[in-house]
Amino acid sequence: MTNSVRVAIESVLFLGGDTDATRAFFNLVMDRLHEGSDSGQTVSFVPSVDAPTPPSGCWVPCFGSTDKNASAGRALEFGADLVANLALGGRDLSMYSAPDGALFVLADLIDPKPQPQTLGQVAFVDLYTPRAKEAADYYANALSCRVIHELKPTPGDYRFLAWGDEPVAGVVDMLDVLPESVPPHWIPYWRVLDLEGEVARLSDFGARVRVPVTESALGPFALLADPFGVTFGLQTPLSDNLLVEHAKSRS
Amino acid sequence: MTAADSDFADHRALADALTAERPLHALVRALHRISSAPVAVIDLHGGVLVSVPERAEWMAEELVAVSPPADGPVAGCVLRSVELEGEPVAVLAMRGQGASTKLLSFAATLAGIELSRRHAILSGRRELLGQVLEDVISGYLGEQEGARRLLDHGLDVGKPHEVVVGSAEGSPRRLRSYPWNLHTLLTQQNDPHLRTIVDDRVVLVVPEQAGLFVARLCHEHLASIGSNARVGVSKPRAGVRGLRLGYFEARNALAEGYGVHVHRTQDLPTALLIASLEAGVPLRDLSAEALAPLVEYDRKNDTLLVDTLRRYLAEDGDVGATAARLFVHRNTLRNRLRLIEELTGRDVSSPSNYAHFWLATSGLDLHSSANLSSLFERGTVQDD
C-alpha cells in the first residue's frame, strides 16, 4: 500500500550497551570509508531509554516521514506503543515498540529527495523477526509502504518494504537462520566497495564474522558482530541498485 | 564401485579442491557435497571463515570454546582442529555424522595446508615491512624516503597513526608463525594494518583511535602463545618522526608489564632509557662501572649498598620511608648512605647525582631492553 506520505530510512540509532565504546568502534567502521566524501550524520548513539534493550545494546532504525503525525497515528493504530520521545541534534524523534517488540523511530523527513549512495553510510536495514509476515504487514500499514516477497536466494524467507520504487527496509524470517530464543532485532548494513577487505579490516578491530561474504539475489553481503556482540552488516552499492530494480519489477 | 573406490574418490575430490580458485571455499563445498551436511571453518575467536550452506547457523563461540576440540560431538557438530605449523588456528565443523571422521580429519589437514601456504606469502611481505620499520625506528631513513617506503606498504604517514607494540615470553618462532587474522589470509591482500615483528616484538601501526581496540586483541593473541603478554599503545602521531616517537612511546608503555598500557607523557626517563638501549648504548656496562665500588664493597662485606641505593631512589629520597621498607633504623640507613657517598664520591641528595644513580641502578638491572618492567616494579617511575 502506498499513499502520498513518503517514508524513507533516514538514519540508525544505537541504543543502550556501552555507547561510548560502540561509538568508538563504529567511528572506525565509517572513518576510512568516508574519506573524500561528506560523511553525513546517519548514526546516533543513545545511552538508554525506558524500553527493554539487550545488555549489549541494539540498533533501531529511524524512518523519516513527510507527515510524521500521520505516520505516528498509523503506527499506533496498527498496534505499536510509544516508548520514548527523544531530542537528537535539535530534532524531535518518537520511538515505538512494534507488535513483535522490535523498536523503531519516526522523525520528520528532512530531505525528501532520494539520497546519494555514499560509501560508509548505512545503506539499508533488515528486521530479523520470528513473525515475518505479520511484521511486514504491520510496517507496510504503519509506514504506508508495500510488501515485496519471495526473492530467492535470499537470507531466509525475505520480504522488503518499498515506497513507490524506493526500498525502505527488509524483513527476514529469523527462524530460517536463528533460534527462536533470539529476540526480534534490526541489522543495519553499511555500504562498502571491497567487502572482503572490509571484513578483514574490521575483524582486525575485534569484529567477529557471523556470515562471511555471501552472494544473494540482492547482491553480496556479510554479517559481523561488533566487539560487544551486536550484529551489523556490510553490503555494496550493487545492493542499492538491485533493490530498486526488484521494487520496479514488482510495481 | 567398492567402498574403497568411493573412499578414494572422496579423498581425491577434497585434494582437488586445493587447485580451485578459492581453495578453502572449494574444500568446504566438496566436503558438504560428500556429506550432505553443513560444513564450516571457524577461527578460534568464533568468526566464520567459510560456511556451506552460507547461511547455516553455527554456535561458533561454543564450537571453539575448547581448543583443540574434543573428539566427541559439540553442539551437534563433529570438529577437527585446523593447524598451521602445528598450532591450532581454527576448527573444521560438520553438523551431524555425514562423512567419516577420517575424511573430516583429511579435510582439516588440507585446510591447514592451504592456510599455511597463504600465511607464508603474508609472512614474506611482513619481513620486508619489518626491515623498513627497523630502518625508520633506528633513524636510518629520513622523512621523505621513509614516507615513500612506508607508502609502498600502504601506510600514509601524513595521517596520524598509533603504534601498538606487544611481546610475550616464549618462542619467537611462534610469534612469527601465529596467524593474526585468518580473514586476511582469505582475501590474499596485505594486512589491513601495518603489522610486523621487530626485535621479537609484534609492531602494528593503526589509524588514530584504533590503538586500544587493536591492542586488546593483540594482547589476547599474545596471551595465547606465551606468558606475561604485554602490549603498549602510543599517542597518535603523524610523519616518519612521529612514527619513530610513537614506537618508543609504545615500547615505554609496554614496559609497564602484563596487560595493555597506553603511553603516559611523564614516562620520559624510561623512554630515554629504552631509546638508548635500542640505539645500542652499552648501558649495562656503563652502569656496572659507575656502581663498581658499591658492588665490590657488597661482595667483600656481604652488605646491601646497591639495594639500599635502589630503594632510596624508589622512595624519592625519603629516609623514613626507605628505612621502613628496608626494615632498618633510620640511623643505619644514614650510615649506609654516607658510605655510598664515600665510595662513589657523589652526594646522593644532589639532583644531578640523583639522575646519575637512577640511570646506573636501572641500567645495572637490564640484561636487555626486554626486562624494563623492573623499572616499574621497583617504583622508580611513578604512576599517575
Side-chain angles (χ1 to χ4, degrees):
Chain A
M1 129 182 228
T2 301
N3 67 14
S4 58
V5 178
R6 179 172 183 265
V7 173
I9 178 71
E10 198 176 60
S11 62
V12 288
L13 279 67
F14 187 85
L15 194 61
D18 185 342
T19 40
D20 287 341
T22 306
R23 182 192 283 116
F25 175 78
F26 280 96
N27 281 341
L28 293 173
V29 172
M30 294 181 285
D31 264 3
R32 193 177 75 164
L33 302 168
H34 277 155
E35 280 173 14
S37 65
D38 174 16
S39 65
Q41 291 294 323
T42 58
V43 183
S44 303
F45 295 86
V46 182
S48 64
V49 295
D50 287 335
T53 53
S56 47
C58 64
W59 289 105
V60 179
C62 176
F63 297 108
S65 167
T66 50
D67 187 344
K68 186 189 161 199
N69 287 339
S71 296
R74 298 174 74 84
L76 294 171
E77 180 189 342
F78 286 97
D81 295 319
L82 177 67
V83 293
N85 285 310
L86 310 166
L88 274 181
R91 300 176 67 198
D92 293 326
L93 313 178
S94 303
M95 185 177 291
Y96 299 87
S97 173
D100 67 351
L103 301 172
F104 68 98
V105 165
L106 285 174
D108 287 316
L109 189 61
I110 295 176
D111 187 356
K113 292 193 298 292
Q115 297 301 301
Q117 295 178 9
T118 310
L119 290 176
Q121 286 197 346
V122 171
F124 202 59
V125 288
D126 273 345
L127 172 66
Y128 278 62
T129 176
R131 294 156 58 189
K133 184 179 181 315
E134 292 95 316
D137 290 344
Y138 168 77
Y139 287 102
N141 286 317
L143 303 179
S144 311
C145 294
R146 63 197 172 97
V147 179
I148 298 172
H149 189 207
E150 290 180 4
L151 285 168
K152 286 183 180 172
T154 58
D157 187 13
Y158 196 74
R159 296 167 172 83
F160 76 92
L161 305 162
W163 186 90
D165 295 339
E166 292 168 25
V168 175
V171 181
V172 181
D173 188 341
M174 192 183 83
L175 298 181
D176 287 349
V177 287
L178 290 168
E180 199 169 1
S181 56
V182 177
H185 57 282
W186 290 93
I187 295 180
Y189 289 81
W190 268 263
R191 186 186 290 115
V192 303
L193 272 183
D194 176 8
L195 259 183
E196 288 197 333
E198 286 304 318
V199 165
R201 185 176 78 94
L202 298 181
S203 55
D204 243 24
F205 293 142
R208 194 170 294 157
V209 182
R210 298 263 190 236
V211 177
V213 176
T214 296
E215 294 296 331
S216 81
L218 297 175
F221 72 100
L223 291 179
L224 299 93
D226 69 24
F228 318 100
V230 183
T231 305
F232 67 100
L234 301 176
Q235 65 180 43
T236 69
L238 178 64
S239 293
D240 296 296
N241 301 334
L242 287 171
L243 276 162
V244 172
E245 277 176 28
H246 279 293
K248 279 182 179 165
S249 69
R250 304 298 180 96
S251 315
Chain B
M1 187 187 266
T2 66
D5 289 340
S6 167
D7 196 37
F8 177 77
D10 289 345
H11 280 78
R12 178 72 190 266
L14 294 180
D16 283 349
L18 292 196
T19 61
E21 192 182 342
R22 305 182 80 193
L24 199 62
H25 292 76
L27 179 70
V28 171
R29 257 196 314 276
L31 191 58
H32 170 68
R33 229 175 3 250
I34 294 165
S35 64
S36 304
V39 180
V41 180
I42 301 167
D43 71 26
L44 295 186
H45 299 284
V48 180
L49 290 159
V50 185
S51 169
V52 179
E54 287 156 326
R55 293 304 310 271
E57 177 201 334
W58 298 100
M59 307 295 282
E61 287 87 350
E62 199 177 329
L63 297 179
V64 299
V66 181
S67 176
D71 272 347
V74 177
C77 296
V78 186
L79 307 175
R80 284 294 176 271
S81 183
V82 176
E83 296 183 354
L84 197 156
E85 296 192 22
E87 196 89 50
V89 294
V91 293
L92 178 64
M94 182 178 68
R95 188 160 298 140
Q97 303 279 346
S100 74
T101 51
K102 265 188 185 170
L103 198 65
L104 192 65
S105 298
F106 180 63
T109 303
L110 293 177
I113 289 169
E114 172 56 15
L115 289 177
S116 298
R117 188 182 67 82
R118 289 174 176 241
H119 185 250
I121 296 168
L122 197 58
S123 297
R125 291 182 194 147
R126 283 183 191 150
E127 290 283 332
L128 291 173
L129 169 63
Q131 287 162 16
V132 176
L133 216 51
E134 275 182 32
D135 287 348
V136 164
I137 290 163
S138 55
Y140 292 146
L141 291 178
E143 194 70 30
Q144 238 177 354
E145 178 63 4
R148 190 189 65 74
R149 303 262 305 265
L150 288 166
L151 196 58
D152 288 345
H153 289 273
L155 181 72
D156 177 2
V157 289
K159 292 175 184 155
H161 285 84
E162 292 169 2
V163 181
V164 176
V165 178
S167 74
E169 287 163 17
S171 157
R173 194 190 67 80
R174 286 187 82 195
L175 201 62
R176 284 179 164 75
S177 65
Y178 192 86
W180 297 89
N181 183 349
L182 295 181
H183 294 277
T184 304
L185 296 187
L186 289 193
T187 62
Q188 283 201 307
Q189 295 174 1
N190 287 333
D191 282 313
H193 308 108
L194 250 64
R195 173 184 284 129
T196 190
I197 308 288
V198 175
D199 289 340
D200 293 337
R201 291 180 207 99
V202 62
V203 180
L204 294 114
V205 184
V206 300
E208 188 177 8
Q209 307 287 326
L212 264 182
F213 281 102
V214 173
R216 289 191 192 108
L217 278 176
C218 181
H219 184 260
E220 205 178 297
H221 285 307
L222 289 169
S224 71
I225 61 175
S227 60
N228 198 18
R230 49 180 68 189
V231 179
V233 185
S234 77
K235 285 180 173 179
R237 304 272 180 197
V240 171
R241 270 180 63 199
L243 189 63
R244 191 180 303 136
L245 182 56
Y247 172 77
F248 288 120
E249 286 178 345
R251 284 278 292 106
N252 181 10
L254 173 95
E256 291 199 47
Y258 183 85
V260 174
H261 302 278
V262 180
H263 169 75
R264 296 172 297 166
T265 306
Q266 64 268 44
D267 292 341
L268 186 59
T270 317
L272 290 173
L273 204 58
I274 293 167
S276 65
L277 285 167
E278 298 282 349
V281 175
L283 195 62
R284 189 162 192 271
D285 294 341
L286 291 170
S287 302
E289 195 178 318
L291 296 178
L294 305 184
V295 174
E296 186 65 9
Y297 189 91
D298 278 349
R299 192 180 60 77
K300 283 185 180 165
N301 301 285
D302 200 21
T303 50
L304 295 167
L305 293 183
V306 175
D307 281 351
T308 301
L309 180 60
R310 205 177 268 137
R311 179 47 60 190
Y312 175 72
L313 296 169
E315 298 297 341
D316 285 335
D318 184 328
V319 170
T322 308
R325 293 295 294 264
L326 291 172
F327 300 106
V328 297
H329 192 272
R330 284 169 181 237
N331 288 340
T332 306
L333 176 64
R334 287 196 183 98
N335 287 335
R336 285 189 194 173
L337 292 173
R338 207 170 296 127
L339 188 54
I340 290 169
E341 289 178 340
E342 281 172 18
L343 288 167
T344 59
R346 288 175 182 268
D347 174 0
V348 291
S349 58
S350 98
S352 63
N353 287 336
Y354 194 92
H356 167 82
F357 283 129
W358 184 86
L359 273 171
T361 52
S362 301
L364 195 66
D365 293 339
L366 300 173
H367 297 286
S368 72
S369 54
N371 63 346
L372 284 164
S373 58
S374 60
L375 299 178
F376 293 88
E377 282 150 15
R378 287 168 41 201
T380 49
V381 175
Q382 299 300 305
D383 285 335
D384 281 335

